[in-house]
Structures are given as C-alpha cells and as structure tokens.
Amino acid sequence: MAIALTEEHRALAESVRGLVARDASHGALAAQGVLGLHVPETAGGQGYGLLELAVALEELGSALTPGPFLPTVLTSAAITWSGRCGSLLPGLADGTVTAAVVLDGHGLGASDADLFLVPVAEGWAVLDRASVRATAVEGIDLSRPLTQVAILAHTGPPSPTGPPPQAEPHGQAEPHGQEGSPGQEGSPTRTGSPAGTASPSQPASPAAAGASSQASPSRAETPSHAETPSHAGAMDGWEAPASRVLGAVPVRELAAVLLGAEACGVAAWAVRTASDYAKVREQFGRPIGQFQGVKHRIAAALVALEQARAAVWDAARALDTAHSQASTSAPDTRHAQDAETAPDSFPAQASISAPDIGRARDTEPALGDDLRTKTDAGRRGGGQKALGQDTQGSTNLPNAIVHDARHSTDRPEALGHGAQTVEEGATTLEPAAPPTVGVAALDTATPPAVGVTALDAAVRLAVGVAAVLGPDAAVRCAADAIQVLGGIGYTFEHDAHRYYRRALSLRMLAGDPGVWAEEVAELAVGGARRTMEPDLPAEAASLREEIRTLAGDLAREEPPARLGRFAREGWIMPYLPEPWGRAASPLEQVIIHQEFKGLRRPNLGIAAWAVPSIVRYGTRDQQDRFLPKTFTGEIVWCQLFSEPGAGSDLAGLATKAVRVEGGWSISGSKIWTSLAQYAHWGICLARTSPGKPKHDGITYFLVDMSAPGVTVRPLKEINGEEIFNEVFLDDVFVPDDLVVGEVDGGWRVARDTLSHERVALGDSWGPGSQHTDMVKLVRRLPRLRQAQLEQVGRLWAEGQAISALGLRVTLSQLAGTDSGTASSVRKLLGMRHAQAISEFCWSLAPADPHWNRMILTTRAFTIGGGTTEVQLNIVAERALGLPRDP
C-alpha cells in the first residue's frame, strides 16, 4: 500500500504520477496546483494538508524529480503553520518564487533561490536572497543542489554592542528587496544597488533596515543587546526583521515528514526496479528472482518500505490534526503587538486535517488531468473529521514547545561539526547551532506566531518514528536494488546510483536517525502514546449507540449467562454470517471491538482458524454439531497439519486416509501440534489419492482426539513448557460425515484455514514481548547508556509502525479496498519484532525470570504459522510477482 490510502488520495497519486511522466518541471508542477496542495485557498493554494502533500511527494520521489520543489513546499508549509508572512504564499504556490531551507546546518535548495527559511534566535525566519550569502556546495545528490547559507550582518538592526553593518566584501552585493513576491512592487529582486543602499527607484527594504514594513525605528529605538536573544545561528546583537519572523514553527518536524514521504517514493522505485529486473535477468538457466536469496532480499526491502509508509502516513496525519486544532482553538496573540510587527498574517483555515469524502468544489472543471479536479472529492472543510482522521493519544507528559533540533546529549557527534570560516559580516548557519524555538527563546516583542501551539508529545512521537524509519528505508532499499542489479547498478549506465544518492541526501537532511531514536525513547518512556484507532464517519454514531446499549446489557449478565449470549448472538466472531456471527460489516466490527473491550470475549485459540473453514465449507449438520459448543469453550480444537517430513511444505504430507466401510481409516503422524493434549477435536489433512499431484488428492477431516488409535506425546520446548505435541494416528476411523468440503478438495479448505492462522498470529502472538513491555522494563532500570537508549527508540519506532500498519489495513477494509499482502507483512514484522524486544530486554535484565522465559519462547515466533522464509516467499510472489520455485 502506498501512502495514499483513500480513493481520493489514490486519485491524487495517480494524477501526480501521470504529470511527472509528461513534465516534471517546477513550472508544470505549479501549473497543476501541486506546489499549493497544502496552502490555504485564501493564499492561492488548494487548502489540503500535509498528508496530501506527502502523497504527492512519494510520487515525486519515485520519479526522482529534480528542482526546488521540496524546499519550496517546506517553506510554504512553515509559513502556513505560522500564520505569518502570508503575502509570500501565492508566489510559492504558483511557482514564481522558489525557496531554500537550512536543515541541521545544510542548505537544501539552490543558491539563487528567492527566499531562505533559516533558524534565528526568535525561531525561524524567511529572508530574501539579498539578506543572505548563499554559496553552492557539492552534495552527493546530483539532481538537487545544496547551499551554504550565511546571514549578512546588515540584514537587521545592529545593537549598540554588536558589530557594525557590513557590506558585501567581494564587490557588489545582492540587493535588498521589499517583502513580497518577486515581480511585484516591494518584492525581492536579483538586481539593484549595493548592499545596504537604496535603489534610486525603490526605497530601502525593511529587511535591510531592520524595521517593520511600515516604519523604521531609529538607533535609539533599536532593542538593546540584552533584549535581543543571542544564538549560535544568529549573530550577537542581530535580530531578524520582525516582518519575516515565523516564530516557533516545527520546521524540523515538518521536514522529517516531507523528507520521509519522498524517501518512501525513492524506496518504492528501488523495490519495483529490483523486482522487475529479477523477473527477466537469467543466470544458471532461470530468472534470478527464483533464487531464494534474491527473492528474500527484495521482499525484505518491500517490508521495510511498507513499515516506513505507515510511519510517515501516521506522522503526516498527526501534524495535520495538530495544526487544525491550533488553527481553530488557539487564541490570537496578535492583539499583544502592534499591527506593524505582523503585517502578513492571514486568516486561519477552519480545518486542514483530513478530506471530507464526497465534498467537491463547484467552481473547478469536471474533466482533465488538473489535480484540482482529481482531488476535489477530498476537499477539506467544515472541520468535520472523515474516515481515517487522526485521534490523539493521551499522555501525562507536560506539553513541550517544539524542541531543540539537537538532542540533549553529551554525544560529541550529536552536537554537530565545528564552525566553518566565512567572510566577515556574515553568520554561517551550521550543524552545531540549530534553533532553540521554545517560547523562552523568543524575544518579548515577538510573541509566538498565530496558530502555533505546543506540539503534543504524541505528535512528536509520531514524527520521531517517521524520522527513524523513513530515510533509512530509502537507503536500505536503494542499496538492495544496486545489489540485485549487480554490475550495471554500479555504473552511470543505470539510474540506481542516482536514487541511492538521493536516499543518502534525504537521510542527511532529516537528521541523524540515532538522535531521533533517542528522542523517541525519551518520549515513550515518559508516557507519550499514539492511539491507533480509526475515526469513523458520522453514520457510525447511531450504530455505536445501538452496540453500546447491547454491550451494557451484556455487562450486567453473570459470566456463564454472558458467555451463552456471546455464542448465541454472534458476538465472538461477528464477521461470520448469521447465525454463527452477525454478518457484521467492517465498520460494525470496529465498533464492536471498541465497545466490547471490557467484556472479555473468549479467546478461541486454534478454533479461531478452524471455525471459518467449517462455516464456509462444512455441512449444516457439522456446523450445528460443533460451532455452538466451540463458542462456549466446551470444545477445544487442535490442528493436525504439520508432519515430520512436511512442515512448511505442507502439500508434501504423507499421512494417508484409506476408504473403508462408512468412512476412512487414517494412519500417519503429526508434529508441532499445539495443545493437542487438551483438545477434544482436531482438524486434519490426509492424502486420499496418492496418485494425484501433491496439492490435489488431499482431504480435510475432523478427528475425535479421544478415538481409538490416537496417541498424543507432549514435547518439552526450550523454555521448559509443553505446548507442542507429536500425535500418532494408527488406523483412526473417521466417518464420512466428518469430511469438510469435497474429498480430494482439502487443499482449498486448508488454505482458508491458513489465511486465518496468519492473521491471528500476526495480531496476537507475543504476550509480554511488545514495545510497550520494553518501556515498562526501562522505567524500572537505572538510566541507560546512550547506545541502549537509541536501541529503545528504534524498537519503539518499529512497534509503533506495526500498529500504524494494522490501522491502515483496518481503514482499507472499511473502505472496501484490497490491502494486498499487508497481513503477511504485518505478521512478518510482528514476529521478528517480538524476538528483537525479548533479546534486547533480556540484555538489560538477564536475571529477570520473565525475560529469561521470553527470550527462549520467542524463538518459536518466526517458525510457527509459517516460517520467516515462507512469509518472505509469500510477499515476494504475491505482492511483487517474482517467479515461484520450480
């Protein structure tokens, strides 16, 4: 699944994909509205949000789109968030103005950009080109320039104790322009008088004079050095022009999401390219995609991509919701300042958090490839939340303003590199000095920008997870693509190296993933949580009220009576058809899950895999005989599938069923049968026609575990428990009425059972081995070493992304769309994650009895229900179309 999940987002992605295939120029993107997707309609944009922008960026990343798109939309996103400098937005949205952004000391964008988003003592500011010295620097990405940016001292008013204004030391400087859009009066311009002087036809700019847009204070009115915050990113005694200060804008967080979205596009190209090549490139007489090593490498890359997409998607919707809430509920702070200090603010949008499905603008054309037409159905408005909009998790952490771009750590490399030598009169923005943009860092004359509030810890957590996983996935997938391509991938003859370069650049710009991981760890240990529950459409309200009433009625029953009603009324597996379930729609299933959390419906265990197959393929007599007592727990089931010579290769089973009078005689042995010593009945596969191909000639039986000839021998596992068993079947009689489905048609029934097994295991395996359990342990321990703290963050990020992936699967089901192999991906991630959690927690507390048991128990998680290798084969063959083994 791409970042695009809804029908509207998929249409947007398709439109962008088609556009860049025809013309990926900056002008073409602007003409079709892509540059203004997230910009308010009042400022010339389309009024959507970051999630829509992320959808577009994934497609642009997949096409390796060059040019200033990313820094330009990041700058307009920061301006939109701040509520200031609104007059700059139309030019950014229509493509007449480009921007560069300083991220962790690296300037993303061209040196001749019109605007520069830079960290200053007051937070962030948007400066004209004439106010900075921008020098192109060589970067690893061949198609996107990097720039070293230095703020010129004369950009703002010097304090009495600060250095005097400096002119451009090398000849004629770039001129200062009025704040606005290029090409209009009062706009930045690339020609004019020397720095610090006025053009004969144009007054000196407020930026050059350090004044507001309407008046220039005298030196006596200039704030003293004590009133001007000093910061490593801004020269002592220097302050940014008030008209260009955005304030406490979460630029670092916005950048992490947008860079992560483009990284997903890079990773998607890499996976697709490697897969396509592996299908046609032949070695040793067959396609290389048939070799398991190649197949698994590409499948694992797809798994990493899906995990990154889920994380970026969740972070984008979290920021959208945070901005929507700030725009609608934050007090207007402009009344505390003169109008001249915030001349370009614009009305806050009612909501830019999620599309209102079905709403369209009447003023747009109904046909064509224009994105404004393609995405009208998702137009935001009215503040009404649509399916899939974010819900925030509660936390007991104090709210924190957007935090310092450096992690508070004593790790030397986390503190950045040393200062570089620059010309006198300029302040270089370098990695050692990212902005501290909390309220305390703001000058008293510059209150926080309108609409900006403290980012909730849960939002910061979501962004941190995206920053940990997104760029890394792009680097990993691009590197894997080069490996699969072989020699050609290592040459300029193929584009793979360009994507690898872009991936490395994105990771550099997003910031050290290790630092982000430490922040994730501190937030998680501190109690921050993301709630992974879907918001439901308005029509769910009446259904919820009905189900809540029924749940309340059930809660008043005594436990035995409640269990009986669970079974009779179809509450245990509500998606099954009546009378065994409630024929519940995906929407109803979600509501039942939410409203029944406190009622403790029984866990059917192996029966949860067997029951759907009996419902679908069994006779009515079989259903009436077995299902009611299974739901009440009177019948316990086991699964007699695996054999000593047929584990993952289930179709290779050797157990035989021979026709006898009135039924069948089954002989053979089964192994790894969970809880067989407690089971009343077993679902069993046996070969009834040995002469047919191995997937044919298999029949699905129901076996009485107390029947003569059934012997169960428990197996002691490495953790000392006895869950698995070996089962011997010696001439066990099974009557004809206990055959499920057709004779010789058991493989179809078994595949149905196995599909339920994979989903069940992915959702439920691993009690005591989740990322939340890891945090509980960490809280009890002394402070971890830095490397351990980073590992906590990485494991938490992985676990939270798995949860986000599960939510995306749920939303796909609610929308009636195919989630593809997402369940297999989630199962694969979940099993490996449980092992990694147990291994790490045991390393922290090797004397803890619980983790002593879990590090042993979880070894089975990547074996049971289909080994990791089998799951990778499923992903590779079904999702990517790689050839099956001969």
Side-chain angles (χ1 to χ4, degrees), residues 155-170:
T155 302
S159 80
T161 59
Q166 299 290 324
E168 182 80 30
H170 299 297

mmCIF file of all heavy atoms in Angstrom, residues 155-170:
data_model
loop_
_atom_site.group_PDB
_atom_site.id
_atom_site.type_symbol
_atom_site.label_atom_id
_atom_site.label_comp_id
_atom_site.label_asym_id
_atom_site.label_seq_id
_atom_site.Cartn_x
_atom_site.Cartn_y
_atom_site.Cartn_z
ATOM 1 N N THR A 155 21.423 42.621 7.617
ATOM 2 C CA THR A 155 20.030 42.272 7.388
ATOM 3 C C THR A 155 19.123 42.885 8.433
ATOM 4 O O THR A 155 18.021 43.304 8.149
ATOM 5 C CB THR A 155 19.858 40.734 7.409
ATOM 6 O OG1 THR A 155 20.701 40.189 6.406
ATOM 7 C CG2 THR A 155 18.427 40.336 7.150
ATOM 8 N N GLY A 156 19.565 42.946 9.669
ATOM 9 C CA GLY A 156 18.746 43.502 10.739
ATOM 10 C C GLY A 156 19.483 44.615 11.418
ATOM 11 O O GLY A 156 20.633 44.932 11.107
ATOM 12 N N PRO A 157 18.848 45.272 12.387
ATOM 13 C CA PRO A 157 19.481 46.401 13.064
ATOM 14 C C PRO A 157 20.536 45.920 14.037
ATOM 15 O O PRO A 157 20.292 45.021 14.826
ATOM 16 C CB PRO A 157 18.312 47.054 13.806
ATOM 17 C CG PRO A 157 17.379 45.923 14.063
ATOM 18 C CD PRO A 157 17.522 44.986 12.907
ATOM 19 N N PRO A 158 21.743 46.503 13.996
ATOM 20 C CA PRO A 158 22.751 46.124 14.974
ATOM 21 C C PRO A 158 22.425 46.702 16.325
ATOM 22 O O PRO A 158 21.861 47.783 16.422
ATOM 23 C CB PRO A 158 24.033 46.740 14.399
ATOM 24 C CG PRO A 158 23.556 47.936 13.640
ATOM 25 C CD PRO A 158 22.220 47.570 13.077
ATOM 26 N N SER A 159 22.735 45.960 17.364
ATOM 27 C CA SER A 159 22.577 46.512 18.696
ATOM 28 C C SER A 159 23.775 47.389 19.002
ATOM 29 O O SER A 159 24.803 47.316 18.341
ATOM 30 C CB SER A 159 22.474 45.381 19.724
ATOM 31 O OG SER A 159 23.751 44.903 20.019
ATOM 32 N N PRO A 160 23.680 48.265 20.030
ATOM 33 C CA PRO A 160 24.816 49.125 20.354
ATOM 34 C C PRO A 160 26.069 48.341 20.654
ATOM 35 O O PRO A 160 27.171 48.840 20.462
ATOM 36 C CB PRO A 160 24.314 49.892 21.587
ATOM 37 C CG PRO A 160 22.828 49.882 21.461
ATOM 38 C CD PRO A 160 22.489 48.576 20.813
ATOM 39 N N THR A 161 25.913 47.105 21.149
ATOM 40 C CA THR A 161 27.102 46.323 21.493
ATOM 41 C C THR A 161 27.506 45.354 20.412
ATOM 42 O O THR A 161 28.484 44.659 20.536
ATOM 43 C CB THR A 161 26.839 45.527 22.779
ATOM 44 O OG1 THR A 161 25.709 44.674 22.546
ATOM 45 C CG2 THR A 161 26.531 46.456 23.935
ATOM 46 N N GLY A 162 26.725 45.295 19.339
ATOM 47 C CA GLY A 162 27.006 44.330 18.291
ATOM 48 C C GLY A 162 27.926 44.899 17.247
ATOM 49 O O GLY A 162 28.295 46.078 17.257
ATOM 50 N N PRO A 163 28.337 44.111 16.289
ATOM 51 C CA PRO A 163 29.231 44.557 15.230
ATOM 52 C C PRO A 163 28.517 45.505 14.286
ATOM 53 O O PRO A 163 27.297 45.452 14.152
ATOM 54 C CB PRO A 163 29.616 43.250 14.529
ATOM 55 C CG PRO A 163 28.479 42.339 14.789
ATOM 56 C CD PRO A 163 27.959 42.704 16.143
ATOM 57 N N PRO A 164 29.220 46.382 13.646
ATOM 58 C CA PRO A 164 28.591 47.301 12.717
ATOM 59 C C PRO A 164 28.138 46.572 11.472
ATOM 60 O O PRO A 164 28.606 45.485 11.172
ATOM 61 C CB PRO A 164 29.724 48.289 12.388
ATOM 62 C CG PRO A 164 30.968 47.485 12.574
ATOM 63 C CD PRO A 164 30.688 46.560 13.700
ATOM 64 N N PRO A 165 27.179 47.171 10.731
ATOM 65 C CA PRO A 165 26.743 46.548 9.479
ATOM 66 C C PRO A 165 27.904 46.400 8.521
ATOM 67 O O PRO A 165 28.778 47.242 8.460
ATOM 68 C CB PRO A 165 25.691 47.518 8.948
ATOM 69 C CG PRO A 165 25.274 48.330 10.129
ATOM 70 C CD PRO A 165 26.468 48.416 11.016
ATOM 71 N N GLN A 166 27.915 45.302 7.786
ATOM 72 C CA GLN A 166 28.992 45.042 6.839
ATOM 73 C C GLN A 166 28.419 44.963 5.436
ATOM 74 O O GLN A 166 27.394 44.318 5.201
ATOM 75 C CB GLN A 166 29.686 43.712 7.181
ATOM 76 C CG GLN A 166 30.322 43.688 8.553
ATOM 77 C CD GLN A 166 31.537 44.588 8.614
ATOM 78 O OE1 GLN A 166 32.277 44.684 7.647
ATOM 79 N NE2 GLN A 166 31.739 45.252 9.736
ATOM 80 N N ALA A 167 29.081 45.601 4.503
ATOM 81 C CA ALA A 167 28.705 45.470 3.110
ATOM 82 C C ALA A 167 29.299 44.190 2.561
ATOM 83 O O ALA A 167 30.170 43.580 3.166
ATOM 84 C CB ALA A 167 29.201 46.677 2.311
ATOM 85 N N GLU A 168 28.838 43.795 1.407
ATOM 86 C CA GLU A 168 29.383 42.607 0.740
ATOM 87 C C GLU A 168 30.880 42.797 0.536
ATOM 88 O O GLU A 168 31.307 43.765 -0.090
ATOM 89 C CB GLU A 168 28.692 42.430 -0.614
ATOM 90 C CG GLU A 168 29.138 41.221 -1.362
ATOM 91 C CD GLU A 168 28.455 39.972 -0.857
ATOM 92 O OE1 GLU A 168 27.324 40.074 -0.387
ATOM 93 O OE2 GLU A 168 29.082 38.911 -0.918
ATOM 94 N N PRO A 169 31.710 41.918 1.047
ATOM 95 C CA PRO A 169 33.146 42.143 0.937
ATOM 96 C C PRO A 169 33.694 41.944 -0.471
ATOM 97 O O PRO A 169 34.769 42.409 -0.767
ATOM 98 C CB PRO A 169 33.736 41.119 1.903
ATOM 99 C CG PRO A 169 32.706 40.057 2.010
ATOM 100 C CD PRO A 169 31.394 40.747 1.846
ATOM 101 N N HIS A 170 32.976 41.199 -1.315
ATOM 102 C CA HIS A 170 33.500 40.921 -2.650
ATOM 103 C C HIS A 170 32.656 41.659 -3.683
ATOM 104 O O HIS A 170 31.761 41.095 -4.290
ATOM 105 C CB HIS A 170 33.500 39.416 -2.936
ATOM 106 C CG HIS A 170 34.366 38.667 -1.984
ATOM 107 N ND1 HIS A 170 35.717 38.843 -1.892
ATOM 108 C CD2 HIS A 170 34.046 37.726 -1.057
ATOM 109 C CE1 HIS A 170 36.218 38.055 -0.962
ATOM 110 N NE2 HIS A 170 35.222 37.367 -0.445
#
